[in-house]
Amino acid sequence: QVQLVESGGGSVQAGGSLRLSCVASGYTWRYNSMGWFRQAPGKEREGVASITTGARSSVYTDSVKGRFTISVDNAKNTLYLQMNSLKPEDTAMYYCAAGVGLRLSAGAANYWGQGTQVTVSS
């Protein structure tokens, strides 16, 4: 199995920054991509960004392009999401996920973390 543990969420004012981390353990060879998803109350879970662990090819949803940066440290089995210029609409529970061909599709994720809350106030 694969275990994913997120950290780094919190409360910030609009314009602030946060860095999320996700440490993977277990059968990490079972996936080739990792990503971040978020879910706000009353809304569907949406893909924020993902990255392939080999080529480090990344993809972002349009609303975060230019503000968020996804990266992976394979030596540490750790995924990061640097979030800058945060907006109130970024408020959500953020989940780390891993799968094969993940991109921004929640349906492609085989493994999920427990989530970390991000709250942005205006």
Side-chain angles (χ1 to χ4, degrees), residues 3-20:
Q3 295 79 41
L4 303 173
V5 179
E6 304 101 330
S7 62
S11 297
V12 295
Q13 290 191 330
S17 298
L18 284 172
R19 187 194 196 201
L20 306 184

Side-chain angles (χ1 to χ4, degrees), residues 37 102 104-110 112:
F37 293 75
L102 189 60
L104 299 179
S105 171
N110 299 112
W112 291 94

